Amino acid sequence: MPARAVQPPPTTARAPYDSFVIPAPGPFFFQAATSIGTVIRPGRRTGSDRLVTPNLSRAAFRIQSGSPARTDYMDFPGRSHFLLGEPGWEDPAATTFAWIGRL
């Protein structure tokens, strides 16, 4: 399992936010935050990734693992949703490349 990352300071997130975040209709985020239209219940939003909680990720994995297609799950505790754009990105990248190598 990758080492637990330290949460980056808010100033680290400002540049990617300014570069990549675009305006979007509010209902989309409301539906995503409340899981309207899905059978997944995200529970309380805690941890570093407030967009997709570990509870939500595991629930999606359980549903998708019922498919005949290969379904894998990796967890990177202590990291935000901008996983490969924050300091320490090398650990999840290396883990992902190792996973690809095993396929």
Side-chain angles (χ1 to χ4, degrees):
M1 175 161 288
R4 187 173 182 95
V6 175
Q7 182 67 25
T11 53
T12 303
R14 188 74 220 178
Y17 179 86
D18 291 341
S19 297
F20 300 115
V21 174
I22 59 170
F28 168 78
F29 290 105
F30 176 76
Q31 290 172 347
T34 58
S35 297
I36 291 175
T38 71
V39 296
I40 299 171
R41 298 291 169 247
R44 216 172 87 228
R45 295 203 180 266
T46 60
S48 298
D49 189 342
R50 302 284 171 105
L51 185 59
V52 180
T53 66
N55 184 39
L56 183 61
S57 295
R58 285 188 296 273
F61 171 71
R62 282 191 299 273
I63 290 169
Q64 294 168 0
S65 64
S67 163
R70 181 180 178 136
T71 306
D72 295 318
Y73 179 81
M74 285 186 227
D75 189 15
F76 298 98
R79 302 208 180 254
S80 76
H81 195 71
F82 195 50
L83 188 66
L84 297 178
E86 64 187 26
W89 63 268
E90 298 89 349
D91 290 337
T95 301
T96 303
F97 280 123
W99 170 77
I100 291 169
R102 291 189 301 270
L103 292 179

